[in-house]
Amino acid sequence: MADLALVNRSPAEVLLLDHGSFWQPPQVLVGANQSCRSAVRDAARHWWELPDPRIADSVGTRWSRTAARTDHRRVERRLLLVLLPPGTPRPHADGPATTRVSWWPVTRLLAGEVITRPAELAAFLDGYLQGWLPDGQHALDW
């Protein structure tokens, strides 16, 4: 499983799905023999018709045990940022939604006006967009 955060840089916004008590990026199923990046790229092309989606080099990662498994294997989950190229019109809030979706300004997420999963989504987005978060994997809490 991967989460796809569609990000607009100017103004700094992210498209999130409403899950009732929290908002989170759309989830993408990752097929066998497929990378998270490939699955997210395919979803961005399909959902928002982005011809060449740019995926950021900063990745939010979570490793966890699943309650259903008894073998104690850990499952990886990734949050990848898909960046809209400058000047690209913001896609309509549709895509994989069967629930309500909305564009949220990163400033409102940082102000704590919105509960998100992962909880650190606002700081992760702000760090990437402001340039203080280095490229690479970063642990996030889902």
Side-chain angles (χ1 to χ4, degrees), residues 37 56-61 78-80 124 135-140:
R37 290 180 76 87
D57 292 325
S58 289
V59 178
T61 304
R78 290 181 178 236
L79 170 66
L80 287 90
F124 181 72
D135 290 341
Q137 292 190 24
H138 302 277
L140 299 177

Side-chain angles (χ1 to χ4, degrees), residues 40-94:
V40 163
R41 187 172 286 113
D42 290 348
R45 285 180 178 141
H46 176 73
W47 292 337
W48 297 293
E49 299 177 355
L50 298 175
D52 189 24
R54 180 173 181 271
I55 299 175
D57 292 325
S58 289
V59 178
T61 304
R62 175 185 181 216
W63 288 89
S64 65
R65 289 191 174 94
T66 58
R69 297 190 78 115
T70 58
D71 58 7
H72 300 290
R73 288 198 308 181
R74 293 164 71 87
V75 176
E76 181 180 9
R77 185 167 174 183
R78 290 181 178 236
L79 170 66
L80 287 90
L81 306 180
V82 176
L83 309 171
L84 291 179
T88 301
R90 185 177 75 176
H92 294 131
D94 52 11

Side-chain angles (χ1 to χ4, degrees), residues 17-28:
L17 282 87
D18 183 3
H19 286 271
S21 60
F22 63 91
W23 290 80
Q24 79 176 44
Q27 295 179 328
V28 177

Side-chain angles (χ1 to χ4, degrees), residues 110-135:
L110 285 168
E113 295 178 29
V114 181
I115 298 171
T116 63
R117 285 200 183 148
E120 302 96 337
L121 178 63
F124 181 72
L125 291 170
D126 186 57
Y128 179 80
L129 294 171
Q130 298 296 326
W132 54 261
L133 184 70
D135 290 341

